[in-house]
Structures are given as C-alpha cells and as structure tokens.
C-alpha cells in the first residue's frame, strides 16, 4: 500500500459526485444518505466551482483525496468549519475492493493531520451512522474519542438517523 492523502483538486470532484450517484440503495442507507437529497450532477459541480474560488479561511468545505498506488480509493471532506476552532469530517472508501483492508484508519489519521494544519483546528468531529460499524471502528483506531450517540439529520444529504459523535483534539504543542 502506498497511500497518499492530499487536498482534492477541483478537477477531481466527480469522485465524490459519482460515488454518491452510483452507490446502490443499500449502501446509501448504510451511510445514512437519502438519494432524493442528492444534488443533480451539474448543480453539484457548480457548487464546487464556487467553493474552490473561496479562500481557505472562508470555505464551507475542504475536500481530500485518498490515493493508493496513484489510484483514487476514497475521500474525506470537512464541513461545518469554524476556521481555527473546529469542523466535522466525513470519510468514504469509494473502492469497494479496498474496504476492510485497514486503509481507512491510515487515511483518516493522515486526513486529520491535514485538517488540523490547513484549517488550524483545535477539534475535529465525526458523526457516522450509528449502525455503520466500519467508520465507527475506524475512528476509534485513528484516535478519536467517543462522545455520544444521538438522533439527528447530520447534513443536507442525510435522513434523520442515529449517529455516533466522535472527537479528536489537536495535540498540545511542546515547547522546545
């Protein structure tokens, strides 16, 4: 495995759009996504065009690409960003053949580092569907701390669902 995690280029946003639009109904249900809430492909691309024109400090979202041997295998996004304070992350292994191989844990750890660095965060939250065991295991293994399980609509693509809230805090800097 030669995993690379980096900021997503605007030309790569179809990775996200195609992932959601091509996912079968049972997978969307598992991740808590309502197909009826997915934006049309062209509307979604237009939204990302606007996002990528914003300075990082004012962006609604920051997108990361996960590559293994230069092949896209997943992505992460951060939203609900309060620059310099906190954000919420999402994680998706898009290549079904790469799931359950340990890739997610390492990709999440590297994503966390980039979010803390790029957004100057103090805390990063993640709220996967409570019944989706894979991301909940991944977050624990990546150093996130369990906060609570509650029912909410986590985002604009989601239906009302039980989610598990996790948090990771930026390590305190050591004085040298």
């Amino acid at each position: 495995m030669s995993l690379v995690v980096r900021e997503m280029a605007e030309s790569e946003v179809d990775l996200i759009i195609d992932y959601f639009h091509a996912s079968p109904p049972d997978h969307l249900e598992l991740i808590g996504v309502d197909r009826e809430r997915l934006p049309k492909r062209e509307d979604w691309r237009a939204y990302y065009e606007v996002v990528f024109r914003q300075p990082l400090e004012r962006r609604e979202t920051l997108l990361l690409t996960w590559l293994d041997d230069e092949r896209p295998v997943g992505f992460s996004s951060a939203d609900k960003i309060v620059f310099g304070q906190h954000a919420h992350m999402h994680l998706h292994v898009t290549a079904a053949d790469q799931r359950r191989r340990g890739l997610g844990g390492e990709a999440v750890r590297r994503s966390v580092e980039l979010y803390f660095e790029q957004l100057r965060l103090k805390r990063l939250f993640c709220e996967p569907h409570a019944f989706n065991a894979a991301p909940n295991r991944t977050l624990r293994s990546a150093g996130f701390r369990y906060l609570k399980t509650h029912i909410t609509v986590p985002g604009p693509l989601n239906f009302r669902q039980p989610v598990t809230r996790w948090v990771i805090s930026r390590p305190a800097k050591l004085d040298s």
Side-chain angles (χ1 to χ4, degrees):
M1 176 171 67
S2 62
L3 181 68
V4 172
V5 175
R6 61 164 170 73
E7 197 169 333
M8 185 178 287
E10 184 177 349
S11 62
E12 297 173 309
V13 299
D14 280 335
L15 174 66
I16 296 171
I17 297 166
D18 292 344
Y19 168 71
F20 285 108
H21 278 280
S23 287
D26 61 326
H27 183 70
L28 290 178
E29 184 176 336
L30 178 66
I31 63 173
V33 171
D34 180 350
R35 183 176 298 283
E36 297 300 314
R37 294 183 182 200
L38 294 178
K40 293 178 184 173
R41 291 173 184 270
E42 59 274 11
D43 294 343
W44 217 342
R45 278 188 211 96
Y47 165 75
Y48 284 134
E49 282 180 29
V50 172
V51 166
F52 276 87
R53 303 290 179 271
Q54 297 294 317
L56 194 57
E57 298 82 18
R58 295 203 339 250
R59 282 196 191 169
E60 291 181 3
T61 188
L62 178 60
L63 310 173
L64 305 178
T65 301
W66 299 346
L67 303 161
D68 186 26
D69 292 325
E70 299 182 23
R71 174 182 153 229
V73 294
F75 68 91
S76 178
S77 61
D79 62 8
K80 301 178 186 174
I81 299 167
V82 178
F83 193 84
Q85 295 298 316
H86 56 84
H88 286 245
M89 79 172 288
H90 308 271
L91 54 136
H92 299 278
V93 176
T94 57
D97 64 326
Q98 295 298 313
R99 294 184 185 134
R100 300 176 186 219
R101 295 187 56 221
L103 176 105
E106 184 59 29
V108 167
R109 282 186 283 279
R110 293 184 191 188
S111 296
V112 166
E113 290 175 20
L114 282 171
Y115 289 136
F116 279 143
E117 178 185 313
Q118 295 292 321
L119 301 172
R120 299 189 189 123
L121 301 177
K122 294 178 183 168
R123 290 177 313 196
L124 184 62
F125 296 94
C126 190
E127 290 187 324
H129 192 296
F131 299 141
N132 188 351
N136 285 288
R137 268 193 314 268
T138 297
L139 291 165
R140 179 180 293 122
S141 76
F144 280 73
R145 181 173 50 89
Y146 170 83
L147 292 177
K148 68 178 182 176
T149 300
H150 65 113
I151 297 177
T152 189
V153 178
L157 304 181
N158 304 109
F159 53 80
R160 186 171 166 81
Q161 61 193 273
V163 299
T164 307
R165 182 178 290 170
W166 297 87
V167 67
I168 192 165
S169 299
R170 180 177 213 137
K173 292 183 180 179
L174 301 174
D175 294 328
S176 31

